Amino acid sequence: MDSHATLDAQIPMLLDIFQMDAFDQHSITRKLISKAVQRLALLMLPATNAEMGRAYARPSLRENLSNNAGAASDSMRDDEAESPDVEVPLEMEAFVGILLQKLHDKDTIVRWSAAKGIGRISERLPMALAREIVLAVGDILKDETLVDNGLIDVAMTTEYSWHGALLCLAELSRRGMLYAQALRQIVPWVVRGLTYEIQRGDYSVGSNVRDAACYVMWSLARIPNPSSKRVFAEMSVEMATTLISVAVFDRESNVRRAASAAFQEHVGRQSAFPHGISVLQLADFFSVGIMRNAFVVTSRKIAEFDEYKHPLLHHLCTVTVYHWDLKTRELAVKALRELAPLSPAYVRTHLLPGIVANVASPFLAVRHGAITAVAAIAETIAVELVSHTDASKMVLDVADSIPARYIEDFGASLTLAALTTYMGSLSRAGWSIGEAQGKYFALFELAFITCKTVDDIVVDFTSFVDACNLTPDQRLRIVKHTQVASSGTSRESFVLAVGALEKPSDLELLCSLVAEGTTVEIRRNAAAALGQFCTRARDGGRLSITWEHSAILALSQGLEDHSVDNRGDVGSWVRKQSLHSLARIFATDSQTFQRLNERDDELAIRLLGQILCSTTEKIDRLRVAAGHMLEILLYEQR
């Protein structure tokens, strides 16, 4: 096409081609169409923008860094600027419409190409038309969105549209196209995009939307327009706290790092965020890269600043503890244990009622997160809660508010695990359980029967036993479960629970199971429970020399377990656990080996030989456990 006249003649035909359904089948063709549309539009517009040179987009460094409001207001009033007359072709509306439609495309490359095209075209249009495009892109975020009392509900939206709109806003922002009034309308929606997530079955969508929202925040910081600095000053606290909440509590590492980068850009260019440099040093690229460190360590340090304390707690208790991912929920509860003591009154009055309201939620992830969050709060700020009747009643009524079907049907194991955490937390914090002791024991019993992994349940059951003495009938029920299996793995689970008891008959049972258990899982769990039993008995002053000798003899027999089945050397599980339990017994008293040598020198010599043999095992973990045990004998025993 050698002239604009020739191009104008071909535009109708090209528009028909661009909108043909045949080209919508492949992402590459859709991307190429968006590129062709934007290039045709650029050919029909002036090579430079028609706005007074867009002076506000490239001011001097002194003007950008100035905090003088008067100078800022006099430098450039972009909201009131007048545009010179520019002839805009009628076809431009069709071109922009095609690109706006491409922002909804299901493929990222198409949305990204369309976003860049809209940014380039808007830069050459008169300001009035550019503002219409900004508003049109902002309207995409509002489609299918419900707003109730200032809360934006995105459950009915599509992540494609939000992602494309946010990418486009970022491109417009980079080019200085967002004027002050548009910022006031758009920033709240961008802030909502920072926490955008929609669950779809056992996964969620929205990480790309959150990443794009961080990109928008980053690009907003690079707008040197003085009027935008005033808008940022008005919204600085909300923007800063949301960015930091995402930087430390988001599941995806790339989103956490993007939020940290956006926060850094605002601190360096706008200087409006509270405690900007101090917080940035804590939430830098490397600190937020490791999920556990970001959740537990970095958040605790940032929460010491008053401006970030309550927003972090609010985000944690309204978003993260209900996350669909189990690991994320568990880390959120750990973070809550760190942050709750910083503001116990706020947690009690503002957060606890909302969490308790979700303990009976029909959604498993929400229910599990709410129960474990109540457990964390009840343990860490028990003094604050006990002094208020309404709060203590809410906490103690959690177990009663769970419908029976939630601990019997699908998801029962996760709900029971959360309830055992709750009961263990109450026990460790010294709450008065009273008549609920029987119901709590029944829940523990059901958890041991239902749950496949019971290590954490055993810890909570031990705390429960220490706080509430079991009745003889309850102790007998635990022992009976180790003899008759009522389900696939319940017998092995109850063997671990025996380690929390304290009778001589319990010790004899564990010793016999280490050597004669019918399955390798029972022998392994008996060895683990034996170490726990001896440690607890010694801490309580009940471990006699006879008990100690019997336990060491049984664990010595466990070191001779070389069982093999279709899973391989399964006896190594028993040998490794026996070494761990021996290390627990010997590490708590420096005279244990001396007493053993005086009472039974043959056993002492045999045990030392077994440990030395274990240091030559072909399995790495066994050699490590044997080396640790040998170190205890050589350096910690007299």
Side-chain angles (χ1 to χ4, degrees), residues 487-555:
S487 68
T489 59
S490 64
R491 188 178 178 189
E492 295 99 8
S493 301
F494 281 102
V495 169
L496 282 174
V498 174
L501 306 182
E502 55 186 21
K503 299 296 183 182
S505 58
D506 303 325
L507 176 67
E508 294 173 3
L509 173 63
L510 292 175
C511 291
S512 64
L513 289 176
V514 171
E516 303 171 0
T518 55
T519 66
V520 66
E521 289 84 4
I522 290 179
R523 298 195 295 275
R524 178 199 61 196
N525 289 357
L530 199 53
Q532 181 190 13
F533 184 95
C534 293
T535 304
R536 284 170 48 78
R538 175 166 290 156
D539 293 341
R542 303 185 307 273
L543 185 63
S544 64
I545 297 177
T546 304
W547 286 14
E548 186 179 73
H549 178 269
S550 300
I552 294 175
L553 177 61
L555 293 172

Side-chain angles (χ1 to χ4, degrees), residues 49-124:
N49 59 36
E51 301 305 323
M52 305 169 62
R54 285 282 199 267
Y56 66 92
R58 294 176 178 82
S60 67
L61 180 61
R62 177 180 298 179
E63 192 173 299
N64 184 31
L65 298 178
S66 172
N67 290 322
N68 188 302
S73 61
D74 294 337
S75 60
M76 179 63 195
R77 296 187 178 274
D78 58 283
D79 290 348
E80 302 172 2
E82 294 292 337
S83 301
D85 293 333
V86 176
E87 184 179 353
V88 178
L90 296 177
E91 295 83 359
M92 196 59 56
E93 182 178 356
F95 289 147
V96 174
I98 292 175
L99 293 178
L100 287 174
Q101 187 62 35
K102 296 294 183 185
L103 294 179
H104 302 269
D105 197 274
K106 64 179 181 179
D107 287 302
T108 302
I109 56 173
V110 180
R111 298 194 298 271
W112 184 224
S113 177
K116 291 188 289 186
I118 291 175
R120 291 165 182 154
I121 294 173
S122 300
E123 199 171 19
R124 299 189 182 186

Side-chain angles (χ1 to χ4, degrees), residues 261-277:
F263 187 90
Q264 176 182 355
E265 199 72 15
H266 275 275
V267 171
R269 292 181 178 271
Q270 302 293 341
S271 303
F273 285 1
H275 307 287
I277 295 178

Side-chain angles (χ1 to χ4, degrees), residues 428-451:
R428 286 187 291 271
W431 284 77
S432 177
I433 296 175
E435 297 179 356
Q437 193 265 4
K439 179 175 182 177
Y440 286 3
F441 176 81
L443 288 173
F444 272 113
E445 189 177 16
L446 186 58
F448 280 120
I449 294 173
T450 307
C451 301

Side-chain angles (χ1 to χ4, degrees), residues 279-416:
V279 173
L280 182 60
Q281 290 175 332
L282 298 174
D284 59 13
F285 179 87
F286 299 100
S287 298
V288 301
I290 302 174
M291 188 174 184
R292 180 183 179 84
N293 183 74
F295 271 68
V296 181
V297 180
T298 304
S299 65
R300 171 64 174 79
K301 295 177 181 178
I302 295 176
E304 294 179 359
F305 297 99
D306 292 337
E307 291 84 353
Y308 298 94
K309 184 187 306 178
H310 292 170
L312 284 175
L313 278 167
H314 183 270
H315 183 90
L316 199 61
C317 294
T318 57
V319 177
T320 320
V321 294
Y322 306 128
H323 199 273
W324 62 270
D325 180 48
L326 177 60
K327 179 184 176 183
T328 304
R329 292 200 303 273
E330 291 173 345
L331 284 176
V333 172
K334 290 181 181 179
L336 183 58
R337 291 179 181 273
E338 296 290 330
L339 269 61
L342 298 179
S343 185
Y346 177 78
V347 173
R348 174 181 59 81
T349 57
H350 291 80
L351 302 179
L352 181 60
I355 296 174
V356 172
N358 286 317
V359 296
S361 170
F363 301 103
L364 178 59
V366 176
R367 183 167 69 248
H368 175 265
I371 297 173
T372 51
V374 171
I377 293 172
E379 185 174 357
T380 54
I381 60 170
V383 176
E384 172 74 19
L385 299 178
V386 170
S387 60
H388 295 81
T389 306
D390 54 343
S392 59
K393 187 178 185 303
M394 280 192 294
V395 171
L396 293 174
D397 288 346
V398 166
D400 295 330
S401 63
I402 306 296
R405 65 181 185 276
Y406 289 158
I407 57 177
E408 296 171 356
D409 298 337
F410 172 77
S413 59
L414 203 56
T415 303
L416 286 168

